[in-house]
Amino acid sequence: MILFTLIKNVSVFQPADIGVKDILVCNDKIIDICVNLQFEHPSLNTIDGQGLSAIPGYIDQHVHVT
């Protein structure tokens, strides 16, 4: 099953601040980050991210590689 989530108006850092953007996610993977993203799909869930921050690709730096 394909599920889409559109997070609108969220402050995005990657790692520098790139401003307020929209983030489109498909089945837990980011597929697009841009301004005023327009997308339609029957499974689309839209979230208002105003006042929130997103850090795509953030990885816990406390990882021990052996």
Side-chain angles (χ1 to χ4, degrees):
M1 175 182 256
I2 297 174
L3 301 174
F4 290 96
T5 302
L6 178 58
I7 307 168
K8 302 285 286 180
N9 305 312
V10 63
S11 295
V12 180
F13 299 83
Q14 50 172 194
D17 182 1
I18 63 168
V20 175
K21 308 283 185 183
D22 299 340
I23 302 173
L24 182 60
V25 179
C26 179
N27 294 339
D28 301 328
K29 294 194 187 292
I30 294 172
I31 58 173
D32 200 1
I33 298 175
C34 66
V35 176
N36 198 23
L37 197 148
Q38 300 296 317
F39 184 80
E40 297 291 330
H41 191 274
S43 73
L44 180 64
N45 177 34
T46 302
I47 298 171
D48 182 8
Q50 187 172 14
L52 301 176
S53 298
I55 308 170
Y58 178 77
I59 299 172
D60 181 3
Q61 297 298 312
H62 190 80
V63 177
H64 299 274
V65 178
T66 58

